[in-house]
């Protein structure tokens, strides 16, 4: 129930939870055996959050399950296995991306930080990295553009199934060897894996701080997108709505109204909580009665 994944920045081994996630594990194993993930780009990397791959279109909107190969386009996605609940509790969790309506295809991500509880119940943990943990540091250190796309080409080159308890499905033609890279891949405009890139080099300290702050803001936006509080990461809230993050776990709506009420009338105040446990996710939205009050916060 293991797969060796060879990438352009190193190799790692994942073990799958076939008992808890049989359908998701079978899907991943057969896609690996089909060489579906060969040359797949890590198209989105968010520092201290996730590194996502498995989309042949490299857009974050593509991919299909092994069941599409078996039953046709109507089986492009399959329903997520939600029980038992497995948490994104540590670095190196392997999780299948929720494509919407709790359906999965081929896209997956590995976690780059611990206790990403806001992903629990939204995406499906189905395995973990057991060897090659240095890959997590390399992914986390990747230099990315404003859309979290790595400047440097980081790809899965080969997937080698080490142990597969599931019989091969009928009607699927598994290749006897790995495919060769196509012309599109060879002409990639990204920086080569053997080239160096440092976006902080020769920049003044003030500009470096701005770059770091911008990265943190984009990561927060993508977190909100993944848990469903934003329709898409670049979406901006109304001009009178304040987003507050890094709250104390015990901070309540009443506390925030006391703190921010001095800037002007507040229409609503909501601490975002885990849907199952009710625990604070440590961020909130505060809606002021007018933009003037919102701007007063920004000025202070």
């Amino acid at each position: 129930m293991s797969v060796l994944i060879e990438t352009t920045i190193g190799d790692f081994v994942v073990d799958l939870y076939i008992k808890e996630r049989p359908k998701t594990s079978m899907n991943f194993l057969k896609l690996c055996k089909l060489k579906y993930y060969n040359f797949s780009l890590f198209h989105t990397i968010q520092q201290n959050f996730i590194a996502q791959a498995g989309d042949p279109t490299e857009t974050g909107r593509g991919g299909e399950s092994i069941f599409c190969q078996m039953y046709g386009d109507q089986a492009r996605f399959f329903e997520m296995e939600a029980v038992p609940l497995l948490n994104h509790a540590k670095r190196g969790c392997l999780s299948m991306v929720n494509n919407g309506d709790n359906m999965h295809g081929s896209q997956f991500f590995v976690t780059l930080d611990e206790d990403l509880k806001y992903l629990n119940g939204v995406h499906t943990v189905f395995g973990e990295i057991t060897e090659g943990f240095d890959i997590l540091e390399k992914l986390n250190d990747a230099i990315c553009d404003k859309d979290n796309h790595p400047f440097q080409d980081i790809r899965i080159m080969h997937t080698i199934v080490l142990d597969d308890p599931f019989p091969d499905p009928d009607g699927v033609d598994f290749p006897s060897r790995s495919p060769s890279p196509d012309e599109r891949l060879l002409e990639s405009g990204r920086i080569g894996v053997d080239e160096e890139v440092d976006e902080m080099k020769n920049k003044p300290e003030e500009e470096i701080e701005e770059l770091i702050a911008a990265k943190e803001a984009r990561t927060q936006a993508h977190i909100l997108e993944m848990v469903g509080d934003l329709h898409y990461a670049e979406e901006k809230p109304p001009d009178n709505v304040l987003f507050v993050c890094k709250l104390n776990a015990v901070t309540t709506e009443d506390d925030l109204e006391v703190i921010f009420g001095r800037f002007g009338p507040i229409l609503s105040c909501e601490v975002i909580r885990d849907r199952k446990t009710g625990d604070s996710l440590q961020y909130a939205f505060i809606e002021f009665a007018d933009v003037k009050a919102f701007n007063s916060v920004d000025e202070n």
Side-chain angles (χ1 to χ4, degrees):
M1 294 72 75
S2 302
V3 179
L4 169 64
I5 300 177
E6 300 178 354
T7 80
T8 53
I9 58 172
D11 306 338
F12 61 98
V13 174
V14 294
D15 283 357
L16 308 185
Y17 304 148
I18 62 166
K19 181 179 179 180
E20 298 86 353
R21 298 287 186 262
K23 194 169 187 178
T24 309
S25 297
M26 184 267 199
N27 175 66
F28 186 77
L29 284 166
K30 298 310 176 185
L31 287 177
C32 287
K33 191 171 183 178
L34 193 63
K35 304 303 180 184
Y36 185 89
Y37 292 123
N38 281 35
F39 313 121
S40 175
L41 182 73
F42 278 94
H43 57 79
T44 301
I45 299 178
Q46 299 166 60
Q47 192 174 51
N48 300 321
F49 189 39
I50 65 168
Q52 186 169 330
D55 176 10
T57 71
E58 302 180 1
T59 64
R61 297 185 294 273
E64 60 189 34
S65 73
I66 191 64
F67 305 105
C68 185
Q69 297 279 333
M70 298 164 60
Y71 307 117
D73 289 342
Q74 72 273 13
R76 180 183 177 189
F77 303 121
F78 66 97
E79 190 172 354
M80 70 183 294
E81 296 172 297
V83 178
L85 177 64
L86 300 177
N87 294 329
H88 298 77
K90 57 186 177 181
R91 297 170 73 245
C93 287
L94 185 67
S95 188
M96 193 63 71
V97 173
N98 189 335
N99 291 333
D101 297 324
N102 295 329
M103 303 294 283
H104 296 316
S106 61
Q107 291 193 57
F108 66 91
F109 61 82
V110 294
T111 56
L112 302 178
D113 203 356
E114 300 176 349
D115 196 24
L116 299 177
K117 57 186 178 182
Y118 28 75
L119 300 181
N120 298 339
V122 180
H123 307 276
T124 303
V125 175
F126 68 102
E128 62 181 280
I129 293 178
T130 54
E131 296 181 42
F133 288 100
D134 59 316
I135 197 78
L136 296 174
E137 293 298 331
K138 293 177 181 178
L139 288 169
N140 202 45
D141 290 341
I143 305 300
C144 301
D145 64 18
K146 64 181 181 64
D147 297 315
N148 296 306
H149 302 322
F151 286 114
Q152 194 166 37
D153 213 352
I154 303 176
R155 292 184 183 272
I156 295 171
M157 299 307 292
H158 299 285
T159 54
I160 301 170
V161 177
L162 304 177
D163 189 10
D164 180 4
F166 302 103
D168 290 341
D170 295 332
V172 180
D173 185 18
F174 293 99
S176 59
R177 60 180 296 275
S178 294
S180 300
D182 59 23
E183 185 176 344
R184 175 187 57 82
L185 175 62
L186 295 174
E187 293 180 352
S188 170
R190 294 180 179 83
I191 296 171
V193 69
D194 56 347
E195 298 180 65
E196 293 187 3
V197 55
D198 185 356
E199 65 176 344
M200 306 297 183
K201 189 175 182 180
N202 299 325
K203 284 185 167 58
E205 183 177 350
E206 183 177 345
E207 188 172 349
I208 290 174
E209 290 178 355
E210 290 178 356
L211 285 170
I212 293 173
K215 277 188 174 183
E216 291 180 350
R218 288 196 301 273
T219 297
Q220 289 292 337
H222 279 277
I223 289 173
L224 295 179
E225 178 187 15
M226 295 190 78
V227 300
D229 287 318
L230 288 179
H231 295 100
Y232 55 93
E234 301 303 320
E235 178 182 7
K236 294 183 179 180
D239 291 340
N240 64 325
V241 175
L242 178 68
F243 170 62
V244 184
C245 62
K246 298 183 180 179
L247 296 175
N248 189 295
V250 298
T251 299
T252 67
E253 284 85 353
D254 290 341
D255 296 329
L256 293 175
E257 288 193 19
V258 170
I259 295 169
F260 291 96
R262 62 191 178 92
F263 296 106
I266 293 176
L267 295 179
S268 65
C269 182
E270 181 183 9
V271 174
I272 306 303
R273 301 182 181 278
D274 185 281
R275 295 173 184 174
K276 292 184 174 63
T277 67
D279 294 337
S280 171
L281 297 182
Q282 297 177 269
Y283 65 91
F285 292 97
I286 301 170
E287 183 181 6
F288 289 95
D290 53 55
V291 177
K292 183 179 179 181
F294 174 89
N295 291 336
S296 296
V297 178
D298 192 45
E299 291 169 1
N300 285 268

